[in-house]
């Protein structure tokens, strides 16, 4: 039963992150990270610590000239044990100019990999890695090589 509850808690955290990105409410998502969390963005930059993650996320929400459309696919959760998990989900972020929302300037699509630890009975993201992918996957399915 605990694994089911833990999986649900992690999916809820991911859905909260999507809402925070859409609403540009970074305060909604920051409590999900451990103080020493790390984040590697899709361009390969490493951010260390919750304060740097906050600055990184504020670059999205406080941009003067660009805005974005954000959507995620269905999360896939892999519980490693009672205290460790990995979560995956596809994401897309289509950037447009605030002065002309019909003008999409850049389309980013990728896969998010989040490592979570249960700390004091509460899940926290401890390490996140992003990578660009050519397609947006609503569901992440294993591939078999024939």
């Amino acid at each position: 039963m605990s694994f089911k509850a833990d999986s649900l808690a992690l999916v809820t955290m991911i859905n909260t992150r999507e809402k925070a990105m859409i609403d540009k409410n970074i305060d909604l998502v920051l409590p999900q990270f451990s103080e020493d969390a790390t984040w590697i963005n899709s361009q390969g930059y490493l951010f260390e610590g919750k304060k740097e993650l906050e600055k990184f996320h504020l670059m999205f929400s406080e941009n003067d000239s660009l805005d974005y459309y954000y959507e995620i696919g269905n999360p896939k959760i892999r519980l490693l044990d009672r205290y460790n998990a990995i979560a995956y989900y596809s994401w897309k972020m289509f950037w447009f100019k605030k002065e002309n929302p019909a003008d999409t300037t850049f389309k980013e699509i990728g896969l998010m990999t989040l490592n979570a630890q249960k700390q004091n009975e509460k899940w926290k993201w401890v390490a996140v890695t992003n990578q660009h992918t050519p397609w947006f996957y609503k569901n992440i399915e294993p591939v078999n090589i024939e």
Side-chain angles (χ1 to χ4, degrees):
M1 190 60 157
S2 175
F3 278 156
K4 187 175 181 179
D6 287 336
S7 291
L8 181 59
L10 292 165
V11 168
T12 300
M13 288 170 64
I14 291 167
N15 290 336
T16 300
R17 175 177 164 67
E18 179 184 35
K19 180 172 177 25
M21 291 296 290
I22 291 168
D23 295 345
K24 296 168 185 59
N25 182 355
I26 303 312
D27 291 334
L28 189 62
V29 76
L30 283 176
Q32 295 181 350
F33 293 100
S34 68
E35 290 299 321
D36 62 348
T38 58
W39 183 294
I40 298 176
N41 74 359
S42 55
Q43 286 76 39
Y45 292 101
L46 171 66
F47 299 90
E48 291 183 312
K50 196 175 197 174
K51 210 58 172 150
E52 289 303 312
L53 294 182
E54 179 180 20
K55 290 183 215 173
F56 170 66
H57 283 84
L58 287 173
M59 287 189 308
F60 303 130
S61 64
E62 296 180 350
N63 192 309
D64 290 337
S65 59
L66 293 175
D67 203 350
Y68 59 82
Y69 164 81
Y70 186 81
E71 179 184 350
I72 68 169
N74 296 320
K76 184 171 182 63
I77 306 298
R78 180 175 168 212
L79 293 164
L80 302 174
D81 59 35
R82 256 185 87 205
Y83 299 102
N84 296 283
I86 302 173
Y88 308 96
Y89 65 86
S90 189
W91 57 270
K92 60 182 169 182
M93 195 168 198
F94 292 1
W95 293 90
F96 55 88
K97 295 180 182 175
K98 285 184 177 181
E99 67 208 28
N100 184 9
D103 184 14
T104 300
T105 60
F106 186 58
K107 293 182 178 183
E108 286 188 277
I109 300 172
L111 179 68
M112 184 92 69
T113 303
L114 304 101
N115 294 281
Q117 275 186 351
K118 200 176 218 182
Q119 300 173 353
N120 298 319
E121 295 306 310
K122 186 171 175 80
W123 286 101
K124 296 282 185 177
W125 303 124
V126 295
V128 178
T129 303
N130 257 323
Q131 62 187 20
H132 280 135
T133 57
W135 300 283
F136 177 77
Y137 303 97
K138 193 66 179 168
N139 295 302
I140 299 171
E141 302 291 341
V143 175
N144 295 317
I145 299 175
E146 301 295 320

